[in-house]
C-alpha cells in the first residue's frame, strides 16, 4: 500500500513485527520505510542482514535500485535497523550524534550494536550526524527520544494534508504505545517521558500516521490506535522429509 502526503509517497518495504523469540534471542523484524518526494529517495531505517534480498526486491518492484537511494535516516544503532546503511553507496546516512558516539564506545561483542558497521559509518564520507530540531530532508524534523537507546531519534514529517511520525524503537509496537510502558529499554524513566512525547506528537493533528519500529502503521480512530493494513508475517518450517513439504505458521493475532 502506498500512502501519500502532499509531498511524499510512503511505502512500507518491510513490515515490522511486534514479537520476540522464545529461546533464540531477539527477533529483529523491524520496519523499513521508503519515502519518495522532492527528488529524494529516502529510507527510514535500513533493516538487518536477513532483509537485504527483500529490500532489493521491494525497490526493484518500484523501478529503483540501491544506488537510487539518496538518504538513509537511522532511528538508532541497533543491528536490525542500522546494519544495511552500507547497501546504499550514494546515500547520505544520518544518525543522531549522541547515538553514534554512544554506539561507537560500546565494548566489542556484548551488545546489539553492529560494531564494525558503526566503526565504518563513523569515518564514512556518507555520514551526517543529527541534533534535535534539525530538518533532515525537506519536511522531516528530528526529535530526541531516549530510553530504548541513549541517543535514539524519532522523525516527524509535516506532510501538509497528513503528518507522519516515525517512532523507530522508542515506541516499538501498539502494546507499548497503549500501555505507555516498554520492553527492552536502557532507561525506564527516559522511555516513559519519550512515550508521552510520542502521544503529544501523534495527537497534535488528526489523522497523523504513526509508523513504529516493530509493528504496522496506525492512525487514531476515535482515540484508538488502529492498523491501516493487514499483517504479513509467518514461518515455513521443514519438519517433514521432503524439501517441498513445509509447515506454515502464520504469525497473526488469534481471532
Ligand atoms: Zn532497537
Amino acid at each position: 500500500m502506498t500512502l501519500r502526503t502532499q509531498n511524499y509517497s510512503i511505502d512500507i518495504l518491510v513490515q515490522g513485527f511486534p514479537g520476540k523469540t522464545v529461546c533464540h534471542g531477539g527477533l529483529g523484524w523491524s520496519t523499513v520505510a521508503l519515502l519518495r518526494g522532492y527528488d529524494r529517495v529516502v529510507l527510514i531505517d535500513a533493516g538487518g542482514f536477513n532483509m537485504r534480498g527483500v529490500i532489493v526486491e521491494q525497490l526493484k518492484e518500484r523501478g529503483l535500485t540501491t544506488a537510487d537511494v539518496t538518504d538513509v535516516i537511522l532511528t538508532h544503532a541497533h543491528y536490525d535497523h542500522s546494519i544495511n546503511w552500507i547497501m546504499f553507496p550514494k546515500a547520505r546516512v544520518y544518525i543522531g550524534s549522541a547515538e553514534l558516539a554512544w554506539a561507537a564506545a560500546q565494548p566489542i561483542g556484548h551488545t546489539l550494536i553492529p560494531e564494525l558497521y558503526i566503526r565504518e559509518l563513523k569515518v564514512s564520507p556518507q555520514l551526517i550526524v543529527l541534533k534535535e530540531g534539525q530538518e533532515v530532508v525537506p519536511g522531516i524534523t528530528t526529535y530526541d527520544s531516549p530510553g530504548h537507546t541513549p541517543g535514539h531519534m524519532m522523525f516527524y514529517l509535516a506532510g501538509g494534508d497528513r503528518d507522519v511520525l516515525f517512532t523507530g524503537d522508542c515506541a516499538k509496537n501498539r502494546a507499548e504505545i497503549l500501555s505507555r510502558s516498554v520492553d527492552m529499554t536502557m532507561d525506564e524513566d527516559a522511555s516513559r517521558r519519550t512515550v508521552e512525547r510520542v502521544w503529544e506528537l501523534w495527537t497534535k493533528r488528526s489523522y497523523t500516521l504513526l509508523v513504529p519500529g516493530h509493528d504496522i502503521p496506525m492512525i487514531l480512530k476515535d482515540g484508538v490506535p488502529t492498523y491501516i493494513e493487514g499483517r504479513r508475517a509467518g514461518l515455513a518450517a521443514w519438519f517433514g522429509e521432503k524439501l517441498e513439504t513445509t509447515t506454515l505458521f502464520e504469525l497473526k493475532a488469534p481471532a
Side-chain angles (χ1 to χ4, degrees):
M1 184 198 289
T2 300
L3 294 145
R4 287 175 207 290
T5 68
Q6 204 171 309
N7 298 310
Y8 285 101
S9 67
I10 303 173
D11 295 273
I12 303 300
L13 297 189
V14 183
Q15 217 181 50
F17 184 79
K20 51 185 176 185
T21 73
V22 175
C23 52
H24 291 83
L27 185 62
W29 290 358
S30 59
T31 304
V32 180
L34 168 74
L35 283 73
R36 283 173 288 173
Y38 294 100
D39 289 327
R40 308 276 193 119
V41 177
V42 181
L43 290 184
I44 298 196
D45 280 339
F49 270 139
N50 52 328
M51 294 173 191
R52 287 187 169 182
V54 181
I55 291 168
V56 169
E57 204 175 287
Q58 289 286 319
L59 288 172
K60 194 175 163 196
E61 270 179 31
R62 292 161 178 84
L64 298 167
T65 71
T66 52
D68 294 320
V69 174
T70 58
D71 302 87
V72 174
I73 305 174
L74 303 175
T75 57
H76 65 301
H78 280 158
Y79 77 96
D80 55 325
H81 298 255
S82 71
I83 204 166
N84 288 334
W85 75 265
I86 215 155
M87 288 174 70
F88 308 99
K90 296 194 175 148
R92 290 166 286 257
V93 180
Y94 309 83
I95 188 167
S97 84
E99 181 73 0
L100 183 65
W102 165 76
Q106 294 315 292
I108 298 279
H110 290 276
T111 68
L112 299 174
I113 304 297
E115 301 91 349
L116 306 183
Y117 290 81
I118 290 297
R119 196 185 278 178
E120 200 67 28
L121 178 59
K122 214 179 159 203
V123 295
S124 169
Q126 291 175 254
L127 171 70
I128 297 175
V129 291
L130 299 172
K131 297 257 189 236
E132 180 166 65
Q134 225 173 304
E135 191 175 44
V136 196
V137 293
I140 300 184
T141 308
T142 59
Y143 284 83
D144 286 337
S145 48
H148 179 72
T149 57
H152 190 290
M153 279 192 153
M154 58 182 165
F155 303 101
Y156 192 91
L157 164 61
D161 45 353
R162 170 195 285 253
D163 292 354
V164 187
L165 176 61
F166 298 88
T167 66
D169 283 4
C170 76
K172 296 190 284 301
N173 57 50
R174 187 171 180 271
E176 290 190 349
I177 290 160
L178 272 171
S179 66
R180 298 175 191 242
S181 55
V182 305
D183 186 48
M184 279 191 70
T185 176
M186 295 181 69
D187 182 336
E188 271 182 37
D189 288 338
S191 271
R192 210 168 293 125
R193 286 192 295 273
T194 288
V195 175
E196 291 306 323
R197 206 165 189 206
V198 166
W199 273 104
E200 268 166 43
L201 286 171
W202 197 14
T203 51
K204 209 166 69 166
R205 283 189 71 192
S206 309
Y207 307 113
T208 295
L209 183 71
L210 185 147
V211 181
H214 290 270
D215 211 343
I216 304 168
M218 290 165 253
I219 54 164
L220 282 171
K221 265 192 190 156
D222 301 322
V224 181
T226 306
Y227 294 130
I228 60 152
E229 59 177 4
R231 193 179 302 288
R232 302 180 299 275
L235 293 170
W238 286 288
F239 290 152
E241 292 170 6
K242 290 182 186 158
L243 198 59
E244 310 86 81
T245 313
T246 54
T247 308
L248 178 68
F249 297 90
E250 279 196 84
L251 296 172
K252 289 190 171 167

